[in-house]
Amino acid sequence: MNNKTLLKQGAEARLFKADFYGRPCIVKERFKKNYRHPTLDNTLTAQRLKSEVRANLRCRMAGILTPTVYMVNFENSSIYMELVDDAITVREHIAGVQEQDRSTANDVLKPLAVKIGQTLSKMHENNIIHGDLTTSNMLLKGEPSDVKLLLIDFGLSSFEASAEDKGVDLYVLERAFLSSHPNTQQLFDCILKSYRESTKNKKSCAEIISKLDEVRLRGRKRTMVG
Amino acid sequence: MAAYIKVPHTLYPDKTITVALYRNVSCKELRKSVMSGAIEVSLLKTSMVIDEFQVLVAANKALHLQHAGTMMTKNVHSEILFCLSPSKNISESFQSFGAADSDTNVVVAIADDQDDERLDKVSEILGKSPVALTELSELADTKLITKAYKVSADELNSYDLRDAVVSRISAKEIITAGKGKV
Ligand SMILES: Nc1ncnc2c1ncn2[C@@H]1O[C@H](COP(=O)(O)OP(=O)(O)OP(=O)(O)O)[C@@H](O)[C@H]1O
Ligand SMILES: [Mg+2]
């Protein structure tokens, strides 16, 4: 009944596909890192596990889609969650669209950029910092006419009200975005525009964007030196 | 086909979980047998149960905590009840999720019922056989469930109630800050 099949072996976790009382599920199991001190390793792993589950729930309570959690096993640091049916990552989706026709890709992807901006705005309005925003940590499901965006992989998340943390969160996404997808600065600007338009508190939004600019500048200096 | 379900635990296949629904019965005598310890089962309020999956998630967790030695209540059947409830308060959980003497419908959850011995005993005491679990949806009080698990309108816009409830059961000790072991 409970055949686990390995889907992905990552740096921190293994992902399996399994069955949970008749429902297809994903088992995300964080494994031991032998180079870390065992006590530190256990603490870190438990923290990531808790952060992941907590942010998943907080997002969903705010109306942001996340996979349903079926079980948390602290014994082996694993989470059982809903397998999102026929989902593809935003990363795969962008690559696919770009492959079809590079010249129109940014236009085709614009509605998705708007949706990402709205979702991240809602997440930050609820003081949830994702901590690892990449296009692999966003899933798409459903019909192309009514596509749904889900957020996953909250192991590095935290709860912070500060503009600095939110700005850094956006910076992490910008770096991941531009390095995974060539010629997408325009698309990323579209995400930011939608983020700004969706965020109700304009003053705090302006602070977040100015933090983003600050971090960008620091990042650039660092690359010039290093 | 039997009306109830009996499935192996997802982590410990030699342990089983049984879920059964009884309708138009009197719970009084059965509750007395459970309270006195004569029969070890968990009696759940049908109004608080959307479907059997919700019960399976709670029972799955209770059996896991029993195995890990981290139960919050005294036995696995009280733990099923406690796991089902979003509250950290044990007596409050029993109050709102446990069947009452006056209830005329009841969900019975049993851990490790060898040869269906305890289920048969329950049927005998109630003088009825279990009915199809699909009838749970007629008995669920979705308003009450929404309130008990504090599911917001925002969340119901994007999810069905069952998924909202299931996530809260699985993540209870993580999302409920403060006291309690994790
Ligand atoms: N619930 C899910 N349903 C469908 N696919 C999923 C689900 N969770 C993860 N995936 C797929 O597995 C990939 C890896 O998952 P995830 O990002 O959670 O792990 P990870 O990146 O290895 O984690 P970590 O960053 O903690 O090492 C995702 O990019 C996605 O393609
Ligand atoms: Mg990831």
Side-chain angles (χ1 to χ4, degrees):
Chain A
M1 167 203 172
N2 194 29
N3 280 335
K4 282 211 281 181
T5 47
L6 186 67
L7 280 186
K8 194 193 157 220
Q9 164 87 53
E12 300 247 329
R14 283 184 206 100
L15 274 97
F16 302 89
K17 186 175 186 284
D19 168 274
F20 189 81
Y21 302 102
R23 286 152 190 264
C25 79
I26 290 272
V27 184
K28 181 172 179 176
E29 194 175 307
R30 291 193 155 79
F31 45 79
K32 287 202 181 341
K33 297 270 208 171
N34 287 326
Y35 59 81
R36 279 203 298 242
H37 187 279
T39 314
L40 174 68
D41 188 59
N42 287 342
T43 316
L44 271 180
T45 307
Q47 253 169 26
R48 300 251 158 97
L49 185 67
K50 279 190 241 176
S51 303
E52 173 137 34
V53 174
R54 198 179 289 129
N56 173 307
L57 268 283
R58 290 224 190 170
C59 275
R60 108 183 346 245
M61 286 168 183
I64 297 167
L65 295 170
T66 57
T68 301
V69 180
Y70 293 153
M71 164 162 70
V72 182
N73 182 352
F74 284 100
E75 307 279 287
N76 69 354
S77 309
S78 62
I79 302 176
Y80 286 59
M81 64 184 134
E82 166 195 2
L83 168 77
V84 182
D85 263 343
D86 297 321
I88 66 164
T89 64
V90 167
R91 183 185 182 128
E92 289 160 346
H93 179 68
I94 294 179
V97 171
Q98 286 189 332
E99 206 165 285
Q100 272 193 356
D101 186 349
R102 211 159 271 287
S103 62
T104 59
N106 280 353
D107 289 333
V108 174
L109 291 167
K110 203 173 160 194
L112 174 61
V114 170
K115 188 166 283 203
I116 294 174
Q118 288 166 346
T119 305
L120 299 184
S121 158
K122 197 188 271 182
M123 186 179 82
H124 283 174
E125 283 185 322
N126 284 278
N127 295 329
I128 304 163
I129 309 297
H130 185 286
D132 190 17
L133 283 176
T134 64
T135 48
S136 302
N137 290 337
M138 299 175 184
L139 300 181
L140 295 174
K141 71 162 182 186
E143 299 298 308
S145 57
D146 180 33
V147 71
K148 301 260 193 304
L149 178 74
L150 290 93
L151 299 184
I152 59 165
D153 202 0
F154 292 98
L156 297 174
S157 66
S158 54
F159 300 96
E160 301 289 347
S162 84
E164 168 99 32
D165 287 287
K166 293 173 187 175
V168 170
D169 221 19
L170 294 176
Y171 180 68
V172 169
L173 178 64
E174 180 171 40
R175 295 305 299 247
F177 208 90
L178 301 181
S179 68
S180 316
H181 311 290
N183 310 313
T184 47
Q185 185 65 56
Q186 195 194 334
L187 207 58
F188 187 79
D189 292 342
C190 202
I191 295 180
L192 276 189
K193 180 164 178 273
S194 151
Y195 179 93
R196 265 193 250 111
E197 283 167 4
S198 311
T199 305
K200 282 170 216 92
N201 186 335
K202 297 301 171 197
K203 184 165 164 274
S204 88
C205 185
E207 280 169 33
I208 295 166
I209 300 298
S210 97
K211 283 294 173 191
L212 169 64
D213 288 334
E214 227 178 277
V215 187
R216 276 171 170 164
L217 208 62
R218 261 188 259 154
R220 211 164 295 143
K221 275 191 197 134
R222 203 176 304 132
T223 22
M224 281 192 321
V225 175
Chain B
M1 202 190 83
Y4 63 96
I5 52 167
K6 185 174 185 178
V7 290
H9 191 277
T10 195
L11 297 181
Y12 326 111
D14 51 328
K15 288 178 183 269
T16 60
I17 302 167
T18 303
V19 183
L21 168 65
Y22 292 86
R23 287 187 83 165
N24 304 315
V25 292
S26 161
C27 284
K28 196 165 177 189
E29 203 189 322
L30 180 58
R31 276 197 79 231
K32 214 162 88 189
S33 304
V34 172
M35 294 305 192
S36 71
I39 176 169
E40 287 181 23
V41 302
S42 194
L43 303 180
L44 316 173
K45 240 187 196 348
T46 53
S47 56
M48 301 307 281
V49 173
I50 303 166
D51 66 4
E52 69 267 25
F53 188 66
Q54 179 191 356
V55 179
L56 283 173
V57 170
N60 170 74
K61 179 170 178 173
L63 269 77
H64 170 56
L65 297 180
Q66 179 191 35
H67 187 267
T70 52
M71 289 199 299
M72 299 291 286
T73 63
K74 55 181 194 303
N75 63 55
V76 71
H77 290 98
S78 52
E79 195 72 12
I80 293 175
L81 203 45
F82 184 59
C83 284
L84 188 66
S85 156
S87 166
K88 284 231 136 178
N89 182 308
I90 295 176
S91 61
E92 191 183 301
S93 298
F94 291 1
Q95 271 291 323
S96 29
F97 286 81
D101 279 351
S102 57
D103 285 340
T104 55
N105 304 304
V106 63
V107 176
V108 178
I110 317 177
D112 289 323
D113 189 14
Q114 268 163 37
D115 302 321
D116 290 348
E117 230 172 75
R118 278 173 280 162
L119 188 70
D120 290 344
K121 183 91 182 128
V122 168
S123 299
E124 194 187 309
I125 296 174
L126 294 176
K128 285 268 172 86
S129 300
V131 301
L133 288 162
T134 48
E135 293 183 30
L136 277 170
S137 62
E138 299 164 27
L139 303 170
D141 185 338
T142 52
K143 251 197 197 138
L144 207 61
I145 295 171
T146 307
K147 199 170 152 229
Y149 288 94
K150 299 193 176 75
V151 182
S152 71
D154 257 355
E155 194 174 346
L156 286 178
N157 268 334
S158 15
Y159 291 100
D160 59 43
L161 182 59
R162 199 240 337 265
D163 285 351
V165 163
V166 160
S167 272
R168 281 168 176 75
I169 293 174
S170 323
K172 175 170 163 177
E173 57 277 81
I174 300 177
I175 49 173
T176 324
K179 50 192 178 337
K181 320 179 213 183
V182 257

